[in-house]
Amino acid sequence: MSTSVLTAVAWPYANGPRHIGHVSGFGVPSDVFSRYQRMAGNRVLMVSGTDEHGTPILVQSDKEGLSPQETADKYTRQISQDLRGLGLSYDLFTRTTTGNHAEVVQQIFLALHRNGYVVPKTTTGAVSPSTGRTLPDRYIEGTCPLCGYDGARGDQCDNCGNQLDAAELKNPRSRINGEKPEFVETEHLFLDLPAFTESLGDWLSTKTDWRPNVLNFTKNLVDDMRPRPITRDLDWGVKVPLDGWRDQPLKRFYVWFDAVIGYFSASVEWARRSGDPDAWKPFWTDPDAQSFYFMGKDNITFHAQLWPAFLLGHNGQGDKGGEPGPYGTLNLPGEIVSSEFLTMSGSKFSTSRGTVIYVEDFLREFGPDTLRYFISVAGPETQDTDFTWDEFVRRTNFELANEWGNLVNRSISLAHKNNGGVPAPTAPAPADEELKALSRGAFDTVGTHLRHSRFKQAAGEAMRVVSAANKYLSDQEPWKLKEDPDRRDAVLHTALQVVSDANALLTPFLPHAAQKVHEALGGTGVWAAQPECHDVEDLDIPGRTNPILTGDYSHEQATWESTPVEVGRPLEKPSPLFAKLDASLGETGPEWAPIQS
């Protein structure tokens, strides 16, 4: 029976192009998972978009001499193209500057406010002594008071993941000119997080099967239930829909508050664009629906503590009770799938430090599936992992080109040369049935790993079938069976069947190559559908055009099962599936890439 599966993917800031460290955390894992779920017959809604409010956009706008909206427009379009090139099969990749998003954010806030989970509080705000301008938190850096990391921002420490206030930093300094900021009193709205201590704690206690890195981080979340600010002194963001607040020029929702609501607002926008405005409900209100949130480890707090608190408050299910908000009772996250960091020479990828490999550059030179495969089999699934060109070249040459590409090429080439198409298995032998049983059984094994987001193990099991098929061909030597055509045909039929099976097993990881293999086996039509970029009119803001990433995946033929190859189907001589890379690339990388120490 089909299950509604929500794939909620972290929202990248629209302040620059994406690098491969970004997509190793939120992008590739979420797409591998979603493609598998669709192949397994489930109804999937994969949503995200660009995070366009708050100080990251303001910082970049100042650097480039653009308005915040111009900056967001520029990078949203570029990021959408990057993700399309990587083949990330979003049902909707949108943005947070839509009218729809603002409306949903305000409605969630008003429900929290009505149920008593929002409180005003006087706090301190940073001001530049030389200019008198308000300094948003991300303009301030200093030493984290919790872990001692020198480079923590005024809103969050990327080293330990904890949320901070700028006034808490040791030795705070402005990112603009290095001066020490002054702190003055200002009023803001806070989420009364302590009012979720019991309800949130009870919910977290049920999540015993999450990844170890998420479980370890969440153990202490309920011990740090302080009120959290949800507004900031900015002129760029969603306005606060309360009297005395909505007309203040420097009061907006804090970017982290509005961004996490984006999972739901994107679902609402997708439904509205589908022609059925209630289409989001099976994914958000059905108790049997499943939801999976994909992100890097620096976002665990927002998804395992704060977003669930928003939902509990909206639903009237916090410790204070209350009434359900305008969207009814919404499902809390089912699973938080958090990856660690992809590093280079032991350091986190960083645009500002020059330790960066942009997705656009990578795709232009190597194509999407080599990167997708590397992230799946050698990425930071459960621990920080160093990217090296040597490992990338090794994986590409020996696993994709030599193992998988070679199996596809010689199986189809031999059948084309000797039969012109798929031969009949006229003289089967025990070795044939043993190999076919292995490939059929892999669907259960690989599928179980993918359902639990164990991508390395899943890919490893799929490649085990490929290795077994290569060994089978080498052992059976069909090129030497000219005098025994019946046995030769049985061997080639078996090889083609296992190529077909392995192609299905590898489709979530290698969707572009999977389409080529489907066609090389004589198939027609779309095997693995790809997303497309479109410009669409904003649903609520007249004259505004937004770039989105979306796709129609309902017509793709890929299914999670062994499908018998059709005897007699014509076959053409195949083209190489993956080109081998020059071994010297492993030593230095391409000219445009940063040098590794």
Side-chain angles (χ1 to χ4, degrees), residues 416-476:
H416 163 71
K417 177 181 178 181
N418 290 282
N419 306 89
V422 178
T426 52
D432 309 346
E433 296 305 317
E434 181 180 343
L435 179 62
K436 287 189 285 187
L438 175 68
S439 68
R440 287 195 302 269
F443 284 93
D444 284 340
T445 306
V446 177
T448 297
H449 287 314
L450 288 175
R451 282 195 300 276
H452 293 89
S453 299
R454 297 192 292 258
F455 304 113
K456 291 184 180 182
Q457 290 173 273
E461 287 295 322
M463 290 301 291
R464 191 163 73 90
V465 173
V466 172
S467 296
N470 274 316
K471 183 178 185 303
Y472 166 85
L473 275 180
S474 297
D475 290 344
Q476 300 299 320

Side-chain angles (χ1 to χ4, degrees), residues 166 196 249 269 356 453 533 581:
F196 298 96
E269 182 184 347
V356 63
S453 299
C533 290
L581 303 177

Side-chain angles (χ1 to χ4, degrees), residues 193-404:
L193 199 54
F196 298 96
T197 301
E198 183 176 348
S199 54
L200 192 60
D202 289 345
W203 173 74
L204 283 172
S205 68
T206 67
K207 304 302 178 182
T208 57
D209 57 347
W210 285 359
R211 282 184 176 180
N213 62 333
V214 181
L215 283 174
N216 292 337
F217 189 90
T218 57
K219 284 180 181 178
N220 299 320
L221 286 180
V222 292
D223 296 329
D224 185 31
M225 301 287 269
R226 297 177 295 168
R228 299 290 188 182
I230 60 174
T231 60
R232 270 298 180 257
D233 290 321
L234 291 171
D235 60 358
W236 177 244
V238 178
K239 292 185 177 181
V240 182
L242 291 179
D243 291 341
W245 288 80
R246 61 170 54 88
D247 296 326
Q248 291 195 46
L250 288 178
K251 295 294 182 184
R252 296 290 189 276
F253 282 122
Y254 204 159
V255 64
W256 68 262
F257 177 80
D258 97 77
V260 292
I261 297 173
Y263 300 117
F264 180 61
S265 72
S267 303
V268 172
E269 182 184 347
W270 165 82
R272 294 175 67 189
R273 293 192 181 279
S274 75
D276 177 6
D278 292 330
W280 59 268
K281 290 184 177 180
F283 299 94
W284 284 92
T285 63
D286 183 349
D288 293 326
Q290 299 177 9
S291 60
F292 300 81
Y293 289 70
F294 288 81
M295 73 211 68
K297 65 179 177 180
D298 51 341
N299 278 319
I300 295 175
T301 296
F302 301 106
H303 296 81
Q305 181 187 40
L306 300 171
W307 177 226
F310 294 176
L311 292 167
L312 288 167
H314 169 274
N315 296 346
Q317 296 173 327
D319 298 358
K320 296 179 181 179
E323 297 295 326
Y327 302 109
T329 301
L330 301 175
N331 294 338
L332 271 64
E335 183 164 350
I336 308 296
V337 186
S338 171
S339 298
E340 300 292 292
F341 289 144
L342 187 68
T343 59
M344 177 173 264
S345 301
S347 299
K348 183 181 175 183
F349 275 91
S350 170
T351 302
S352 61
R353 298 185 182 96
T355 309
V356 63
I357 300 172
Y358 289 116
V359 171
E360 180 183 23
D361 295 331
F362 203 104
L363 295 182
R364 183 176 59 250
E365 184 148 350
F366 304 110
D369 281 359
T370 55
L371 178 57
R372 291 175 63 103
Y373 182 76
F374 181 87
I375 290 172
S376 298
V377 299
E381 187 172 304
T382 56
Q383 62 183 12
D384 289 356
T385 303
D386 223 33
F387 174 86
T388 68
W389 287 109
D390 181 65
E391 182 70 0
F392 171 71
V393 169
R394 188 185 72 79
R395 295 278 187 178
T396 299
N397 287 352
F398 289 96
E399 295 175 21
L400 293 182
N402 285 2
E403 285 283 300
W404 178 223

Side-chain angles (χ1 to χ4, degrees), residues 106-160:
Q106 291 173 339
Q107 290 300 322
I108 295 288
F109 164 77
L110 289 172
L112 286 164
H113 188 264
R114 283 192 298 270
N115 286 333
Y117 296 106
V118 176
V119 294
K121 184 179 178 181
T122 299
T123 184
T124 54
V127 174
S128 168
S130 61
T131 66
R133 290 179 58 186
T134 298
L135 282 172
D137 288 346
R138 288 202 171 212
Y139 276 94
I140 304 170
E141 289 184 342
T143 302
C144 176
L146 301 176
C147 71
Y149 174 67
D150 186 24
R153 303 190 307 266
D155 63 342
Q156 180 184 335
C157 175
D158 282 342
N159 186 59
C160 66

Side-chain angles (χ1 to χ4, degrees), residues 501-517:
D501 290 351
N503 192 47
L505 294 167
L506 288 167
T507 293
F509 306 98
L510 309 171
H512 304 83
Q515 180 67 39
K516 294 179 181 178
V517 175

Side-chain angles (χ1 to χ4, degrees), residues 71-98:
T71 300
D73 289 345
K74 172 183 176 180
Y75 288 114
T76 291
R77 191 170 299 279
Q78 182 171 353
I79 291 168
S80 297
Q81 293 288 351
D82 286 348
L83 303 185
R84 181 205 60 79
L86 200 51
L88 305 189
S89 57
Y90 288 99
D91 291 278
L92 180 64
F93 184 86
T94 180
R95 62 196 309 188
T96 58
T97 52
T98 66

